[in-house]
Amino acid sequence: MTKRETYESRTEEFLLPLMEKYHFELVDVEYVKEGSSWYLRAYIDKEGGIAIDDCEVISRIVSDWLDREDFIDDSYILEVSSPGLGRPLKKEKDFARSLGKDVEVRLYRPRDKQKEFTGALTEYDKDTVTIEMEDGSRVVLERREIALIRLAFDF
């Protein structure tokens, strides 16, 4: 397990009982470097949407725990926030919740001269994602080809 995976995993293990206690959902935990700074981010949600006060409560608890445990070697910034509307689909529950909804898919490399697809998510498994295009055709994409998949929103 990489350092990043270890940090994310330990943080997720700590957060899961908290999520149950407060009736929140843990959407994701990520440890990423942006510019010269490291970020430990926890994305949380709940029915009806997460509020700033909810994020603050969890942030204080996690911050105190991280200070006690002190297992992250680098200097980092802790962020606890809502996943936002355009959050990527990453976990099984994200895909299950999005079945039948329109998704945007971006590929690493073009397929038939096209890198972006939008359509209704109709099927998925550990290796593939199937979307139904507006014209009724279905496109099966290998997950390893996908750079980003998220819910599509019309504004």
Side-chain angles (χ1 to χ4, degrees), residues 135-147:
D135 65 6
S137 65
R138 288 182 177 238
V139 178
V140 179
L141 301 165
E142 296 289 325
R143 282 213 190 178
R144 68 178 187 281
E145 297 179 277
I146 298 173

Side-chain angles (χ1 to χ4, degrees), residues 56-75:
E56 184 180 346
V57 165
I58 299 302
S59 181
R60 287 175 195 257
I61 295 168
V62 173
S63 181
D64 290 346
W65 173 74
L66 287 166
D67 287 346
R68 278 191 317 274
E69 296 294 315
D70 196 28
F71 61 90
I72 299 178
D73 298 329
D74 312 299
S75 292

Side-chain angles (χ1 to χ4, degrees), residues 80-139:
V80 177
S81 69
S82 158
L85 291 176
R87 75 182 187 215
L89 307 182
K90 292 183 176 182
K91 299 182 178 187
E92 171 77 19
K93 63 185 173 189
D94 298 329
F95 285 91
R97 182 180 22 229
S98 301
L99 274 173
K101 296 181 181 169
D102 284 345
V103 293
E104 295 175 356
V105 181
R106 251 186 240 137
L107 304 180
Y108 289 112
R109 291 184 235 339
R111 178 199 261 191
D112 300 323
K113 299 181 182 174
Q114 187 174 347
K115 271 183 98 169
E116 295 186 14
F117 296 83
T118 301
L121 178 64
T122 58
E123 297 176 48
Y124 68 92
D125 60 32
K126 67 180 182 61
D127 299 315
T128 63
V129 169
T130 304
I131 60 172
E132 185 174 316
M133 307 299 283
E134 198 171 277
D135 65 6
S137 65
R138 288 182 177 238
V139 178

